[in-house]
Amino acid sequence: MSSSGFLINDPKYAFLKELGLAESNKGVFNGKWFANGEVVTSVCPANKRPIAQVQQGTVEDLDSCIKAGQEAWQVWADMPAPARGEIVRQIGEALREKLEPLGKLVALEMGKIKPEGIGEVQEYVDICDFAVGLSRMVGGSVLPSERIGHVLLENWNPLGVVGVITAFNFPVAVYGWNSAIAMVCGDTLLWKGAPSTPLVSVATTKIVASVLEKNKLPGAVSTLCCGGADIGECIAKDERVPLVSFTGSTKVGKQVALMVQERFGRHLLELGGNNAIIVDEDADPEMVVRAALFACVGTAGQRCTTTRRLILHETLYDTVVDRLVKAYGSFMPRIGDPLEDGVLYGPMHSQQGVDGYLTTIEEAQALGGKVLFGGKVLDRDGYYVEPTIITGLPHNSPVVQRETFAPIVYVLKCTSVDEGIKWNNEVKQGLSSSLFTQNLANVFKWLGPKGSDCGIININIPTNGAEIGGAFGGEKHTGGGRESGSDSWKQYMRRSTCTINYTKNLPLAQGIKFE
């Protein structure tokens, strides 16, 4: 391929070189950059033009990363947690310095709009700030012992090398959630990003590596091995990787979980979500429409928390549907190049996403669904499709019950909040959910044991756009993992119960006599 054909050589994309990227890049880092695998070309989904190339890693390259990560752990685990927190603080500062160029790269390579790309890097910055505080707070418990002269403790220690396999739709933030927390906990990192966003993986790793190098620490505290399914499978099966964090589809996540469990490793799964907004009869229709617009079409429907089902009380159904269709119509002029100011909707990430979109719409129509808005591929460069609203399907229709990773929302009519809750909970996934209501009784019903069965339960906000302070994750086929804030740090450490006898006596628990 001619050098002139790569976007990295176009002055319009000069920010790529600010990130240390070149026309050809090595995709493996274990303290040094190298690679021995296939050379892949990263393609911009907005125009289908090549951005730059990355040489992926081989299974042998992966092995060298794991070995280097184990060696680096010997140094990293000995550092006091607040000292590790200081390194993570510096990583946050380094990310702040590259906030705009890295955010633009996310927009260019993934396809989300520039504000979302920059916001994703900001998430990594924010979780670094959170992790710095955590580095002085991670602690165990002192528990009452039933025996005289004994102390009962809970102690937490790092696991070792943590494998992180991330998806194309959040190529920076999800790694940030894992890496910042795992690092302050004393773990080293092994990252395999999505095969279609390798430049983001390389650029992000360069930022982290620069901080480690400046502090004279092993670069292998944070290793990278770009590659495909073969690399992911090896990570899942390798006993030297005690925890594997996987973000992706439910289908692949199940395979990863079985491989990790077969060797009695730990897995942290962030999988699909067939998310719903329920609208009570006393909700504000204007607020619902504004929230639904972002929830349904933001990131071109490619968030795991995107709203797939809009469950409307029958008294508001016509009003909300009419206003939502008008909002979609007003939104169409904001479709465009994700890097341009004012654009609110970019392309699908790949042809695979477009194909899934078209197949699902065809199936929905065959089942009796009516396309009220959208339903077509846009006639322009790139992988652009129309945001789509479908009505007329029952809540238990197979296509409604299945997550499609595209900007398609099914609008359903319910007779009560109780019925809406039942429909919310009947799908296999349990990631995010939201209820729009002014009824306090319904608020607490929604939050309670017979309410939403999701890991994220919102009220009067969309299903997407989670903050980093809370634990992120879901139930059922979403995988049960928790990342980011709250006490998610516990996933990255091992807990020991310790009993200390500071006397000369040896009393047994439960008053047992063995004399």
Side-chain angles (χ1 to χ4, degrees):
M1 181 178 290
S2 165
S3 294
S4 61
F6 289 106
L7 294 182
I8 195 167
N9 297 317
D10 186 332
K12 178 181 177 181
Y13 306 102
F15 61 86
L16 295 171
K17 293 182 178 178
E18 290 179 42
L19 295 167
L21 297 174
E23 185 179 306
S24 179
N25 304 273
K26 300 297 184 182
V28 182
F29 181 74
N30 68 352
K32 63 178 182 180
W33 288 98
F34 71 103
N36 295 289
E38 178 187 0
V39 175
V40 297
T41 300
S42 177
V43 174
C44 172
N47 53 33
K48 302 183 183 178
R49 292 180 59 191
I51 305 170
Q53 292 183 324
V54 174
Q55 187 174 12
Q56 296 182 324
T58 62
V59 171
E60 292 75 23
D61 294 343
L62 175 68
D63 180 66
S64 75
C65 287
I66 295 174
K67 287 177 179 176
Q70 287 181 309
E71 292 175 11
W73 185 82
Q74 297 296 329
V75 176
W76 188 246
D78 279 343
M79 291 176 62
R84 297 192 296 259
E86 168 57 20
I87 302 303
V88 172
R89 185 195 66 79
Q90 292 180 35
I91 291 171
E93 287 301 310
L95 287 163
R96 281 185 174 93
E97 292 173 7
K98 300 293 185 181
L99 188 71
E100 187 162 330
L102 186 56
K104 286 181 176 180
L105 172 58
V106 172
L108 183 70
E109 191 173 37
M110 184 272 150
K112 64 179 60 177
I113 60 173
K114 183 171 65 174
E116 288 189 68
I118 292 173
E120 186 176 337
V121 181
Q122 184 63 49
E123 273 198 71
Y124 194 169
V125 171
D126 292 344
I127 200 66
C128 284
D129 289 347
F130 180 93
V132 173
L134 183 65
S135 71
R136 293 182 178 272
M137 296 170 63
V138 169
S141 303
V142 179
L143 304 169
S145 173
E146 65 185 61
R147 287 173 279 185
I148 295 173
H150 287 60
V151 175
L152 193 60
L153 305 174
E154 278 190 348
N155 193 39
W156 294 85
N157 280 300
L159 294 171
V161 179
V162 170
V164 182
I165 302 173
T166 57
F168 73 85
N169 61 329
F170 277 86
V172 170
V174 173
Y175 178 68
W177 294 350
N178 283 273
S179 65
I181 302 300
M183 286 179 77
V184 298
C185 288
D187 301 310
T188 55
L189 278 298
L190 168 64
W191 183 18
K192 189 197 91 66
S196 57
T197 55
L199 295 173
V200 170
S201 300
V202 170
T204 304
T205 299
K206 283 180 179 290
I207 292 170
V208 175
S210 69
V211 173
L212 294 170
E213 182 180 358
K214 184 175 69 174
N215 287 275
K216 297 182 172 52
L217 288 166
V221 168
S222 182
T223 63
L224 171 71
C225 189
C226 293
D230 57 332
I231 299 298
E233 182 176 342
C234 287
I235 292 172
K237 290 182 174 180
D238 201 307
E239 292 188 356
R240 296 171 296 176
V241 184
L243 169 66
V244 177
S245 172
F246 174 84
T247 301
S249 70
T250 296
K251 179 182 177 182
V252 177
K254 182 178 181 180
Q255 295 170 355
V256 169
L258 291 172
M259 286 186 277
V260 176
Q261 185 60 46
E262 188 174 26
R263 61 176 174 86
F264 291 99
R266 290 194 200 178
H267 53 69
L268 194 169
L269 303 177
E270 296 288 358
L271 311 177
N274 193 349
N275 314 296
I277 290 177
I278 300 173
V279 178
D280 197 0
E281 59 186 331
D282 63 357
D284 177 355
E286 186 61 30
M287 189 176 182
V288 169
V289 170
R290 282 168 38 218
L293 186 64
F294 175 63
C296 299
V297 308
T299 326
Q302 298 168 109
R303 290 182 180 229
C304 51
T305 53
T306 294
T307 296
R308 313 286 178 198
R309 298 172 297 146
L310 188 56
I311 303 171
L312 305 176
H313 192 278
E314 59 187 0
T315 59
L316 286 181
Y317 182 88
D318 291 340
T319 299
V320 172
V321 169
D322 289 346
R323 293 189 186 185
L324 190 62
V325 169
K326 289 176 183 175
Y328 269 51
S330 301
F331 178 79
M332 293 299 286
R334 308 295 292 275
I335 296 175
D337 182 337
L339 284 171
E340 291 183 3
D341 293 336
V343 169
L344 292 180
Y345 182 93
M348 299 287 288
H349 181 62
S350 66
Q351 185 61 47
Q352 181 181 359
V354 174
D355 292 344
Y357 166 88
L358 290 172
T359 299
T360 297
I361 290 171
E362 183 179 345
E363 181 183 352
Q365 290 177 312
L367 290 169
K370 179 182 179 183
V371 177
L372 281 192
F373 191 95
K376 303 183 189 70
V377 175
L378 290 166
D379 184 17
R380 58 180 298 155
D381 292 338
Y383 302 112
Y384 287 85
V385 301
E386 293 177 330
T388 299
I389 302 170
I390 297 177
T391 61
L393 290 170
H395 64 94
N396 57 356
S397 174
V399 73
V400 175
Q401 292 283 305
R402 187 180 68 247
E403 177 193 29
T404 297
F405 218 59
I408 301 170
V409 64
Y410 305 103
V411 187
L412 310 172
K413 184 189 295 185
C414 68
T415 58
S416 66
V417 167
D418 286 340
E419 185 174 55
I421 292 173
K422 180 181 177 182
W423 294 357
N424 176 77
N425 294 348
E426 71 185 3
V427 298
K428 289 185 180 296
Q429 297 92 348
L431 178 52
S432 188
S433 56
S434 185
L435 170 67
F436 278 76
T437 185
Q438 300 302 315
N439 185 313
L440 196 58
N442 284 336
V443 166
F444 286 99
K445 179 186 295 182
W446 177 238
L447 298 175
K450 295 181 180 179
S452 172
D453 64 0
C454 295
I456 298 170
I457 306 175
N458 294 333
I459 297 163
N460 296 329
I461 65 167
T463 54
N464 52 2
E467 300 178 20
I468 61 97
F472 183 93
E475 303 299 324
K476 302 187 298 189
H477 285 216
T478 301
R482 293 297 186 274
E483 295 171 333
S484 195
S486 186
D487 65 348
S488 298
W489 61 269
K490 293 178 179 178
Q491 309 243 20
Y492 304 91
M493 303 191 83
R494 58 179 176 83
R495 173 165 49 184
S496 303
T497 301
C498 314
T499 306
I500 302 169
N501 178 5
Y502 56 87
T503 73
K504 294 293 186 179
N505 301 315
L506 279 174
L508 301 179
Q510 292 84 47
I512 294 172
K513 301 293 183 182
F514 196 75
E515 298 172 348

